[in-house]
């Protein structure tokens, strides 16, 4: 019973962490998609494209949030203890017998001893399969929906002004090409000028 309760607590903590992590990731991705990228002229940051920066930031922020909240909620809210276990077993039809046994576990009186023995006998006759792990279905559905939204945001939803950004990239590449051509022309002109000056000096010397 305790192992099943521990597994349930871990699942609930993980899904809670994922819920908040995916929420933050979705907000971060939307902020990049519709606020940051359309308003930035420089399409690169620290050697990364804005799309790559958006992906990295979304993953890092989401993972950090999910891990921190998942760990904290497990230890502060979901972690199994004797009282929680007793309540769950009592819910199988034991009418708070297990809770009473846990509360009076240090009582050495004859009545407490008989009550513990009777409770242990009833618990032993229970079918462990009746102790089901309760899955947080609402959180699972919510996390699935947010994960699909994030995937669609990165793959299918176009970035506003994406065409303008591409045009800007093409323009920068063309200007760079023109600059290189101008440098080549200037270098050739300087070489020709130097050659003509040298030839003239040789003629004058003659």
């Amino acid at each position: 019973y305790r192992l099943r309760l521990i597994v349930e607590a871990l699942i609930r903590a993980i899904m809670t962490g994922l819920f908040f992590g995916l929420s933050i990731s979705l907000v971060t991705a939307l902020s990049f998609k519709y606020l940051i990228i359309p308003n930035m002229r420089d399409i690169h940051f620290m050697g990364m494209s804005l799309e790559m920066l958006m992906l990295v930031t979304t993953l890092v922020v989401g993972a950090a949030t999910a891990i921190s909240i998942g760990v904290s909620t497990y230890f502060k809210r979901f972690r199994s203890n004797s009282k929680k276990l007793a309540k769950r077993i009592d819910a199988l039809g034991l009418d708070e017998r297990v809770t009473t046994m846990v509360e009076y576990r240090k009582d050495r009186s004859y009545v407490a001893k008989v009550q513990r023995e009777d409770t242990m006998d009833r618990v032993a006759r229970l079918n462990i399969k009746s102790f089901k792990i309760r899955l947080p279905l609402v959180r699972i559905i919510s996390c699935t929906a947010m994960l699909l939204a994030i995937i669609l945001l990165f793959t299918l939803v176009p970035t506003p002004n994406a065409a303008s950004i591409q045009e800007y990239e093409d323009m920068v590449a063309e200007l760079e090409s023109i600059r290189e051509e101008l440098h080549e022309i200037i270098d050739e002109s300087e070489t020709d000028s130097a050659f003509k000056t040298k030839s003239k000096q040789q003629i004058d010397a003659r």
Side-chain angles (χ1 to χ4, degrees):
Y1 296 107
R2 184 176 294 277
L3 179 60
R4 292 195 171 206
L5 195 61
I6 290 173
V7 171
E8 180 183 304
L10 286 172
I11 292 173
R12 288 181 174 275
I14 289 170
M15 294 312 301
T16 300
L18 283 176
F19 176 80
F20 285 98
L22 288 170
S23 300
I24 295 296
S25 294
L26 184 58
V27 171
T28 303
L30 287 171
S31 299
F32 265 91
K33 199 83 169 179
Y34 296 103
L35 295 177
I36 297 176
I37 293 178
N39 294 306
M40 290 188 70
R41 291 185 178 180
D42 190 357
I43 56 174
H44 293 85
F45 180 80
M46 296 178 64
M48 293 188 293
S49 66
L50 291 181
E51 293 287 347
M52 180 59 67
L53 179 64
M54 170 182 167
L55 176 61
V56 171
T57 305
T58 300
L59 290 175
V60 171
V61 171
T65 303
I67 292 171
S68 60
I69 291 182
V71 171
S72 63
T73 52
Y74 175 78
F75 287 103
K76 292 182 179 180
R77 182 177 178 184
F78 298 118
R79 185 168 58 170
S80 172
N81 56 41
S82 298
K83 290 184 178 180
K84 289 182 179 180
L85 181 60
K87 288 181 180 179
R88 288 292 300 276
I89 297 176
D90 281 336
L92 300 177
L94 294 182
D95 299 325
E96 297 187 356
R97 282 184 173 86
V98 181
T99 301
T100 302
M101 184 183 73
V102 170
E103 290 178 354
Y104 293 95
R105 61 184 178 274
K106 295 182 179 180
D107 191 338
R108 302 302 177 187
S109 66
Y110 176 76
V111 175
K113 182 180 178 181
V114 171
Q115 192 274 340
R116 282 195 292 270
E117 291 176 353
D118 177 65
T119 301
M120 293 300 294
D121 181 60
R122 288 175 178 268
V123 171
R125 286 182 292 180
L126 287 174
N127 185 356
I128 192 171
K129 292 183 180 179
S130 60
F131 191 93
K132 298 184 182 298
I133 295 175
R134 298 173 181 174
L135 297 177
L137 294 178
V138 175
R139 286 282 165 86
I140 292 173
I141 294 171
S142 300
C143 289
T144 303
M146 284 190 289
L147 181 61
L148 289 174
I150 292 172
I151 292 173
L152 290 174
L153 196 63
F154 276 99
T155 56
L156 298 179
V157 178
T159 303
N161 296 329
S164 300
I165 292 175
Q166 186 61 45
E167 290 176 1
Y168 178 76
E169 286 182 335
D170 295 339
M171 183 181 68
V172 169
E174 186 176 352
L175 288 174
E176 184 65 23
S177 176
I178 293 173
R179 188 178 67 84
E180 291 178 358
E181 291 179 1
L182 286 174
H183 275 298
E184 291 178 359
I185 293 172
I186 292 171
D187 291 340
E188 290 177 358
S189 298
E190 289 178 350
T191 302
D192 290 343
S193 177
F195 178 77
K196 290 179 180 179
T197 301
K198 187 176 180 180
S199 299
K200 184 178 180 182
Q201 290 176 349
Q202 289 176 352
I203 293 172
D204 291 340
R206 292 177 184 176

